[in-house]
């Protein structure tokens, strides 16, 4: 069953704790992305990676970190430095194409920090 | 960088009416324009896309038009049905750089039976 998965679906943490969100894909896509979704804000890019062991900051990278040790996996860590971490987080993947290509999204993780 | 504006933020229509969502972009080098539909509690999914060498594309009840000169593109849904109710996102990406799409803020479409 091909696709992109995220776990867990819901995550609750206390303020001051780091938390890692999982993202795995078996689509053999080179590119992977993390977005944050807040009501009325659309999809804001946190980090992206186009090749293993390399990643780039997006528009709202502060307080987040990522790694890309395997092509299939792109975990996101929400650190205690992120001032407002409660949000819906979406992972996506795509082929790398000079003409642009469809992004395939995971089901998302809803993080609540209290 | 690219900036994408999407309007309206909310659109309410009666079943059977047409719905139009409009987006403008700033980077004239952008050449790929996808539209995603996100139903409540679900992941966004591509419903239609258009490239800059095409002015219009149709797929059953949905169509997208692109005006490169004015730098805007629109999603048209005809004969709307309650299952069309969702949030729709437009995006624009360019070959000049990282191919990363820039998304609009989304339009919440509500189709009343």
């Amino acid at each position: 069953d091909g696709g992109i998965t995220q776990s867990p679906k819901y995550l609750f943490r206390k303020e001051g704790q780091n938390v890692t969100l999982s993202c795995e894909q078996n689509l053999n896509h080179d590119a992977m992305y993390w977005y944050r979704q807040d009501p009325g804000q659309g999809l804001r890019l946190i980090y992206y990676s186009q090749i293993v062991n390399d990643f780039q900051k997006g528009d709202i990278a502060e307080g987040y970190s990522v790694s890309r040790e395997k092509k299939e996996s792109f975990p996101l860590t929400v650190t205690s430095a992120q001032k407002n971490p409660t949000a819906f987080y979406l992972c996506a993947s795509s082929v790398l194409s000079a003409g642009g290509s469809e992004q395939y999204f995971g089901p998302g993780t809803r993080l609540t920090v209290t | 960088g690219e900036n994408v504006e999407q309007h309206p933020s909310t659109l309410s229509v009666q079943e059977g009416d047409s719905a139009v969502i409009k987006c403008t972009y700033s980077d004239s080098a952008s050449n790929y324009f996808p539209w995603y539909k996100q139903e409540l509690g679900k992941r966004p999914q591509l419903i239609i896309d258009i490239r800059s060498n095409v002015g219009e594309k149709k797929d059953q009840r949905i169509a997208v038009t692109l005006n490169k000169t004015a730098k805007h593109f629109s999603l048209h849904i005809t004969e709307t049905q309650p299952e069309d109710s969702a949030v729709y996102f437009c995006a624009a990406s360019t070959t000049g750089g990282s191919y990363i799409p820039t998304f609009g803020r989304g339009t919440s479409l509500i189709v009343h039976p």
Side-chain angles (χ1 to χ4, degrees):
Chain A
D1 184 25
I4 179 165
T5 59
Q6 291 182 244
S7 61
K9 189 172 182 179
Y10 299 97
L11 193 52
F12 298 89
R13 281 294 182 271
K14 295 285 188 187
E15 198 173 310
Q17 293 179 334
N18 291 354
V19 60
T20 298
L21 282 57
S22 167
C23 178
E24 304 277 334
Q25 54 98 0
N26 61 5
L27 300 167
N28 200 32
H29 286 168
D30 287 307
M32 297 188 73
Y33 316 79
W34 274 104
Y35 293 94
R36 172 179 171 139
Q37 187 173 27
D38 296 285
Q41 296 288 325
L43 300 171
R44 294 187 291 169
L45 183 65
I46 305 172
Y47 269 98
Y48 66 96
S49 168
Q50 296 179 327
I51 193 170
V52 173
N53 292 322
D54 187 52
F55 46 82
Q56 306 295 328
K57 292 182 180 180
D59 301 318
I60 56 166
E62 185 176 348
Y64 300 98
S65 66
V66 293
S67 63
R68 186 90 186 272
E69 297 177 2
K70 298 185 301 181
K71 187 176 183 178
E72 303 80 19
S73 179
F74 192 40
L76 173 75
T77 297
V78 184
T79 75
S80 56
Q82 168 49 234
K83 291 187 174 65
N84 186 17
T86 294
F88 188 56
Y89 291 88
L90 282 163
C91 180
S93 70
S94 73
V95 298
L96 278 179
S97 167
S101 63
E102 176 183 359
Q103 292 201 323
Y104 292 80
F105 287 87
T109 292
R110 189 166 296 279
L111 173 65
T112 302
V113 177
T114 57
Chain B
E2 176 65 278
N3 182 45
V4 176
E5 299 281 342
Q6 182 172 347
H7 297 282
S9 57
T10 305
L11 181 58
S12 185
V13 300
Q14 289 296 128
E15 183 176 359
D17 288 351
S18 294
V20 180
I21 302 170
K22 298 181 180 181
C23 289
T24 60
Y25 61 99
S26 60
D27 188 349
S28 56
S30 287
N31 62 353
Y32 176 63
F33 307 92
W35 285 89
Y36 292 85
K37 175 183 180 182
Q38 185 179 26
E39 297 178 12
L40 190 63
K42 296 191 176 179
R43 69 188 81 190
Q45 290 190 295
L46 181 77
I47 54 170
I48 195 166
D49 56 12
I50 192 167
R51 299 186 185 275
S52 59
N53 58 346
V54 175
E56 184 176 3
K57 185 176 178 181
K58 288 183 180 180
D59 183 2
Q60 299 183 333
R61 295 188 297 109
I62 59 173
V64 56
T65 58
L66 171 65
N67 184 325
K68 286 175 59 180
T69 303
K71 289 189 280 189
H72 68 71
F73 56 112
S74 300
L75 178 71
H76 305 253
I77 305 174
T78 59
E79 301 172 22
T80 54
Q81 300 167 3
E83 51 265 39
D84 293 330
S85 296
V87 178
Y88 292 82
F89 294 98
C90 64
S93 63
T94 175
T95 57
S98 59
Y99 323 131
I100 303 300
T102 299
F103 285 87
R105 291 194 169 198
T107 296
S108 178
L109 174 64
I110 303 164
V111 180
H112 300 279

